[in-house]
């Protein structure tokens, strides 16, 4: 389809003469203003008369005055776009109500009442995919954060906990499967219709409500808990997708067992259902007993899913299951506490994935994600603490800071306490707050008492935005090693001055002369500056710092390239070895981007890479991590004003140099890995990883040779990992090999939506010099649609990561993303708003590009009828 574009005047500025005025700013909500809701809702009964075009919802809610809140006779029930059919109180029609915007206000005279509300909603028209909506003939829900108010009028806030009984009725032919939270207690038929009733005995907030109705089949299994309870498991999908659900089921069972063994958490219902949905704004949702997943994180087989897809499914399945305790049994008091459940659960799924796979590789992967998406957020206009103080639209705070940095903050507590004391702290937290809506402070207090920690200063991690920068001075005097550290957190919006935070740092000294590895120790920098005596100094010491990435900081240190090269070859800590390699490469690339030659740096990198390629002491999974060059997003964070074009040119130049210098060992590595037969064990997965990485370096140096090798790899592939790796290289190269394999890929997988997403993404993220034109053409492809978030992300998120496309000097890449935001916002505001931060980084870009990025933000801000989601992101990016 053609993405709508705003007309422009000849000088390139938007023509705004006839534009409607910008919307009024939505109200700002502050954490300090929290008050308990005046009414408790002990029980909720929902009755759905299901239909794709129209569904009628009858809600019967029992309300009672909340003794913990200030008395208020007005019951405020949130709504969003609802048709109110009828209202009754205690069984009698009730006219004493008023509307305040979208909210329904009911004045109640007594202390306890039953309120009955009938509403109508139109699922097929719900393109926002929040509340009750239709997806390819199926009805499903998404209620986090504020979607339940699109189903019925209700106190839609996380501290109002209620037990839910749900009855659904609909035509058997259209909705043969009827699912909701909890356990099914009754079912029946009535001619062409049938019904089912579900009951969830555990009080929950409305954001955890779920309903699914559709033509589905299930992979079924069972699980016996640690106390001997039998649980029925089912993964519900469309019939054609059933063969691709086994990996997800195995991941679920592994997660259930691991949570019992590591955190002592047992599942608490008789059934656990997962449903895969093709239209979904997020990855998955942890609704109590009925998890709803994006198909991307359920369906896999070797023909259609990469090794990364398999790992992603395992991690997301585990994440949503772990929420059963860290999010469901103990939920959030208010949305400012979002990291209470998300940061904690991300840590839990990271630890699980470490135990299921390679701990070293998983840790590096998690840090790479943090640095590529969260560090830029921390240094930009959208920076916020992991526990924000205010927001205008809560959907905008499902961010890398809340999730990924939140996980790192809790990981630091675990590092300080050790695994056993950390477990004692979490046990106390779960026991103390089971069945409650808790706060981040509640978690920290439980860790203090249960783990025996003093976290008074540590609380600053929750209230301060920004990435601490630690300056390191290392010296040897009188035979002893001395470490001088200082910390500073740069100013962020609304927080010009920062206090020191406790920073746990795992360190070790290595003797370069004797190639002796030193013992690790943990030090804590909790002042603005401090000095540490590291004991007797070895011969020619090499400092291994922040081992295991023990703290989410940026380290500033002048290090001899020779020392970095040594650590890149010999450090016994996998992350520290990876970090040394990254630092070695970053220093060289920054020098090249600023016009220098740095031949010595290139020599050191090539020597370190050669060591990695030939090191028999590491497996291929780890070898692959050490072969990865720093991404452009991370490189841009290393300078005050980045020139993406110069950084891209420097990075491609280094790839070409490594491809030339290491041509033979790279070819040998590719040949060795190609001889490894397909399997799902770590050795075979590692071989597939290094095979494609070797190909990318060869392609930078010798495109013709690489095209032939990639075509051969593609043609002989018996799995998606090898096929996608080859196609990734081919998409960046001109020639017949590229065209033929792209056509073959599309023809082979045209009926599989998830694989066609890959087809779009591979082209949009390619190194091809015409990538911008390719993306424009793909937006007109018959298989592209703005109505499916997966397809939108596959094309445009992939493109936004291309420095030569998105950051094209002409500014056309910026205009392309701005056009998308304007076209997508009326259809799906939540997805549209996710694209704004790409343009919001303008202050950290060189002036010419920065002006173009800002201009596109101003064009979006001036558009009429922007959603709250997009309006907040744009105005914060400009302010």
């Amino acid at each position: 389809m053609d993405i709508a574009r705003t007309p422009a005047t000849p000088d390139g500025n938007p023509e705004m003469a006839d534009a409607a005025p910008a919307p009024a700013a939505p109200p700002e909500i502050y954490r300090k203003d929290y008050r308990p809701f005046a009414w408790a809702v002990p029980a909720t009964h929902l009755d759905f008369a299901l239909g794709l075009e129209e569904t009628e919802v009858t809600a019967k809610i029992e309300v009672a005055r909340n003794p913990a809140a200030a008395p208020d006779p007005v019951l405020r029930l949130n709504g969003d776009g609802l048709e109110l059919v009828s209202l009754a109180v205690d069984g009698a029609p009730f006219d004493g109500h008023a509307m305040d915007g979208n909210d329904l206000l009911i004045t109640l005279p007594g202390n306890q009442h039953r309120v009955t509300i009938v509403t109508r909603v139109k699922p097929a028209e719900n393109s926002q995919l929040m509340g009750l909506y239709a997806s390819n003939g199926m009805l499903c829900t998404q209620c986090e954060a504020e979607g339940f108010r699109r189903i019925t009028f209700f106190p839609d806030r996380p501290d109002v906990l209620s037990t839910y009984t749900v009855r659904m009725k609909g035509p058997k032919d259209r909705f043969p499967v009827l699912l909701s939270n909890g356990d099914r207690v009754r079912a029946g038929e009535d001619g062409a219709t049938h019904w089912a009733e579900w009951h969830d005995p555990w009080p929950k907030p409305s954001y955890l409500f779920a309903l699914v109705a559709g033509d589905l089949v299930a992979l079924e299994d069972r699980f016996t808990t640690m106390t001997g309870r039998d649980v029925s498991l089912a993964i519900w999908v469309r019939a054609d997708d059933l063969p691709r659900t086994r990996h997800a089921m195995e991941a679920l069972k592994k997660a259930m067992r691991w949570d019992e063994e590591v955190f002592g958490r047992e599942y608490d219902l008789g059934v656990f259902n997962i449903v895969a949905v093709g239209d979904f704004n997020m990855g998955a949702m942890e609704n109590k007993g009925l998890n709803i997943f994006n198909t991307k994180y359920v369906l896999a087989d070797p023909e259609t899913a990469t090794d990364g897809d398999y790992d992603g499914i395992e991690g997301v399945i585990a994440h949503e299951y772990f929420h059963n305790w860290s999010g469901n049994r103990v939920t959030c008091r208010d949305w400012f506490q979002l990291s209470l459940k998300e940061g904690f659960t991300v840590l839990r799924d990271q630890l699980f994935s470490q135990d299921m796979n390679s701990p070293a590789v998983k840790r590096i992967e998690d840090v790479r994600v943090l640095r590529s998406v969260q560090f830029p957020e921390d240094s930009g206009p959208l920076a916020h603490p992991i526990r924000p103080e205010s927001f205008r639209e809560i959907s905008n705070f499902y961010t890398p800071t809340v999730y990924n940095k939140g996980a790192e903050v809790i990981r630091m507590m675990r590092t300080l306490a050790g695994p056993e004391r950390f477990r004692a702290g979490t046990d106390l937290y779960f026991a103390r707050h089971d069945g409650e809506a808790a706060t981040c402070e509640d978690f920290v207090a439980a860790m203090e008492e249960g783990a025996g920690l003093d976290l008074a200063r540590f609380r600053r991690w929750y209230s301060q935005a920004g990435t601490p920068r630690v300056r390191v001075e290392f010296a040897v005097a009188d035979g002893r090693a001395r470490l001088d550290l200082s910390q500073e957190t740069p100013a962020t919006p609304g927080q010009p001055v920062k206090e020191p935070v406790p920073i746990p740092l795992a360190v070790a000294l290595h003797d370069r002369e004797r190639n002796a590895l030193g013992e690790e120790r943990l030090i804590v920098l909790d002042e603005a500056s401090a000095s540490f005596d590291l004991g007797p100094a070895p011969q020619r010491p090499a400092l291994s710092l922040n081992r295991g990435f023990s703290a989410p900081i940026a380290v500033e240190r002048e290090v001899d390239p020779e020392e970095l090269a040594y650590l890149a070859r010999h450090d016994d800590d996998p992350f520290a070895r990876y970090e040394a390699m990254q630092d070695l490469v970053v220093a060289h690339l920054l020098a090249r981007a600023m016009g220098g030659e740095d031949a010595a740096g290139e020599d050191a990198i090539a020597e370190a890479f050669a060591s990695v390629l030939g090191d028999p002491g590491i497996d291929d999974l780890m070898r692959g991590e050490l072969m990865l060059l720093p991404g452009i997003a991370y490189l841009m964070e290393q300078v005050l004003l980045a020139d993406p074009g110069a950084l891209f040119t420097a990075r491609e130049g280094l790839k070409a140099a490594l491809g030339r210098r290491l041509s033979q060992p790279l070819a040998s590595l590719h040949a060795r890995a190609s001889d490894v037969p397909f399997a799902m064990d770590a050795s075979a997965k590692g071989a597939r990883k290094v095979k494609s990485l070797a190909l990318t370096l060869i392609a930078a140096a010798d495109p013709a040779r690489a095209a032939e090798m990639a075509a051969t790899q593609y043609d002989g592939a018996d799995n998606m990992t090898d096929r996608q790796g080859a196609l990734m290289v081919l998409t960046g190269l001109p020639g017949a090999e590229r065209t033929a394999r792209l056509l073959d890929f599309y023809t082979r997988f045209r009926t599989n939506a998830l694989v066609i997403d890959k087809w779009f993404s591979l082209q949009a993220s390619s190194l091809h010099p015409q990538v911008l034109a390719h993306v424009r053409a793909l937006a007109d492809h018959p298989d592209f649609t703005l109505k499916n978030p997966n397809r939108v992300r596959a094309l445009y998120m992939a493109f936004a990561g291309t420095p030569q496309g998105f950051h094209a000097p002409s500014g056309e890449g910026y205009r392309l993303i701005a056009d998308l935001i304007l076209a997508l916002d009326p259809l799906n505001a939540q997805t549209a708003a996710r694209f704004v931060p790409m343009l919001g980084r303008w202050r950290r870009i060189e002036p010419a590009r920065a002006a173009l990025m800002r201009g596109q933000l101003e064009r979006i801000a001036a558009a009429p009828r922007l959603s709250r989601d997009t309006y907040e992101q744009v105005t914060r990016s400009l302010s």
Side-chain angles (χ1 to χ4, degrees), residues 56-284:
E56 187 169 277
V57 184
T58 300
K60 298 178 180 179
I61 58 174
E62 299 174 10
V63 299
R65 292 191 184 264
N66 182 2
D72 187 346
V74 177
L75 175 67
R76 176 180 288 270
L77 302 178
N78 307 119
D80 185 0
L82 298 173
E83 177 188 349
L84 177 62
V85 177
S86 65
L87 171 65
V89 174
D90 298 327
F94 189 81
D95 295 327
H97 66 276
M99 297 298 298
D100 180 15
N102 283 321
D103 290 354
L104 176 65
L105 307 183
I106 305 172
T107 301
L108 299 174
N111 294 326
Q112 191 169 339
H113 299 276
R114 169 172 280 206
V115 179
T116 303
I117 306 164
V118 180
T119 56
R120 288 196 189 101
V121 295
K122 297 181 178 181
E125 297 179 10
N126 185 359
S127 66
Q128 299 291 340
L129 309 184
M130 289 291 291
L132 179 68
Y133 66 93
S135 174
N136 295 317
M138 175 171 64
L139 288 176
C140 57
T141 58
Q142 171 55 35
C143 292
E144 188 176 358
E146 296 177 337
F148 193 75
R149 64 188 62 190
R150 297 170 65 89
I151 297 173
T152 189
F153 291 100
F154 197 81
D156 190 12
R157 43 188 285 169
D159 60 342
V160 177
L161 308 184
S162 184
T163 60
Y164 284 71
T165 302
V166 179
R167 190 179 192 275
M168 297 171 281
K169 182 179 180 180
K172 288 186 293 186
D173 59 343
R174 176 162 286 183
F175 308 123
V177 174
L178 304 173
L179 304 172
S180 190
N181 306 90
D183 297 311
R184 194 175 76 165
V185 292
R186 278 180 288 276
E189 297 186 5
D190 183 11
T193 66
H194 69 150
W195 59 271
E197 186 174 305
W198 292 75
H199 177 65
D200 184 358
W202 300 100
K204 64 175 179 283
S206 58
Y207 81 84
L208 291 174
F209 168 77
L211 175 154
V212 172
D215 188 2
L216 302 168
V217 297
L219 173 66
E220 297 180 296
D221 211 326
R222 308 197 75 81
F223 181 83
T224 303
T225 71
M226 60 185 179
T227 61
R229 293 175 49 255
D230 188 51
V231 180
S232 298
L233 310 177
I235 297 180
W236 297 88
V237 295
R238 300 189 184 280
D240 290 346
D241 293 328
L242 189 63
R244 295 189 287 151
T245 55
R246 175 49 61 186
H247 175 66
M249 180 62 79
E250 294 304 314
L252 173 60
K253 292 191 292 184
K254 287 192 289 185
M256 296 176 80
R257 183 64 65 208
W258 184 89
D259 208 20
E260 291 181 342
E261 295 172 351
V262 177
F263 280 90
R265 300 298 103 194
E266 182 178 12
Y267 187 60
D268 52 9
L269 290 168
V271 63
F272 188 89
N273 286 314
I274 290 174
V275 178
V277 178
D279 300 291
F280 206 67
N281 281 337
M282 296 179 280

Side-chain angles (χ1 to χ4, degrees), residues 332-669:
C332 299
R333 185 196 72 178
D334 53 68
W335 290 121
F336 298 101
Q337 320 297 331
L338 184 58
S339 197
L340 172 74
K341 73 183 186 78
E342 295 300 348
F344 186 22
T345 305
V346 168
L347 174 64
R348 277 152 55 71
D349 83 54
Q350 290 176 350
L351 296 174
F352 165 78
S353 294
Q354 287 180 199
D355 286 349
M356 295 302 107
N357 301 286
S358 165
V361 170
K362 175 59 178 171
R363 186 63 183 136
I364 292 170
E365 290 173 348
D366 291 337
V367 174
R368 188 163 57 245
V369 170
L370 185 82
R371 285 172 163 172
S372 65
V373 295
Q374 195 281 319
F375 276 21
E377 184 170 81
D378 246 353
S379 64
L382 301 179
H384 58 275
I386 63 173
R387 185 190 58 205
E389 295 301 322
S390 68
F391 63 79
R392 297 186 188 276
E393 171 51 59
I394 183 55
S395 295
N396 288 333
F397 278 89
Y398 285 73
T399 63
T401 296
V402 166
Y403 280 68
N404 303 79
K405 186 176 180 178
E408 294 297 325
V409 168
I410 298 176
R411 185 186 286 264
M412 283 190 290
M413 295 187 207
R414 186 174 184 267
T415 297
L416 291 167
E420 291 184 5
R421 290 166 57 202
F422 180 76
R423 166 67 188 274
T426 61
D427 283 351
L428 178 60
Y429 167 71
F430 287 127
R432 180 178 286 173
H433 298 290
D434 188 9
E436 294 181 0
T439 67
C440 294
E441 174 58 31
D442 292 330
F443 182 86
V444 175
M447 290 305 302
E448 281 187 312
E449 185 174 339
L453 298 173
D454 179 359
L455 298 175
R457 292 188 178 184
F458 193 88
R459 285 170 170 81
R460 295 171 183 169
W461 280 102
Y462 280 88
S463 59
Q464 292 187 170
T467 302
R469 309 191 73 83
V470 176
R471 181 69 187 170
V472 179
E473 299 289 344
F474 177 64
V476 174
D478 299 326
R480 299 187 70 82
R482 176 187 175 93
L483 188 60
D484 294 323
L485 303 176
S486 61
Q487 62 166 294
E488 180 183 11
T489 302
T492 56
Q495 291 187 338
V497 179
K498 308 297 175 75
E499 296 182 283
V501 291
I503 299 174
L505 291 170
V507 301
L509 295 180
H510 296 327
D511 186 342
R512 281 192 278 166
E513 193 72 30
R514 295 181 294 178
N515 195 21
L517 305 179
E519 184 177 351
E520 181 177 290
R521 60 181 290 190
L522 185 70
I523 61 176
V524 180
L525 173 65
D526 56 3
E527 302 285 354
S529 61
S531 297
F532 299 88
D533 184 345
L534 300 184
Q539 296 294 319
R540 298 184 65 214
L543 175 64
S544 178
L545 182 70
N546 203 19
R547 293 159 63 85
F549 199 70
S550 55
I553 60 171
V555 174
E556 297 178 348
R557 182 189 174 206
E558 300 292 335
V559 190
D560 188 313
E562 183 183 353
E563 181 178 344
L564 286 176
Y566 173 86
L567 293 170
R569 294 193 301 270
H570 301 297
D571 203 317
D572 62 323
D573 179 77
F575 175 79
R577 185 174 183 181
Y578 164 84
E579 184 79 323
M581 182 73 85
Q582 295 286 292
D583 288 347
L584 196 62
V585 173
V586 167
H588 170 74
L589 292 180
L590 294 183
R592 288 293 300 270
M594 291 186 289
E597 289 298 323
D598 193 30
E602 185 178 296
D603 290 342
I605 294 168
E607 183 182 348
F609 260 73
S611 173
V612 166
L613 296 180
D615 188 345
I618 56 176
D619 60 34
D620 279 339
L621 283 173
M622 185 64 194
R623 195 183 323 277
E625 293 301 318
L626 294 172
M627 291 172 64
L628 282 169
L629 298 181
I632 295 293
Y634 181 60
L635 291 170
M636 289 169 64
E637 280 297 294
Q638 310 309 308
V639 292
L640 184 61
L641 290 178
D643 183 336
L647 290 171
F648 173 72
T649 299
R651 190 174 187 273
E652 292 305 301
L654 177 60
K655 285 169 59 180
L658 292 173
R660 288 191 301 271
R661 286 172 174 248
L662 303 173
S663 174
Q664 186 54 50
L666 286 169
S668 298
L669 177 63

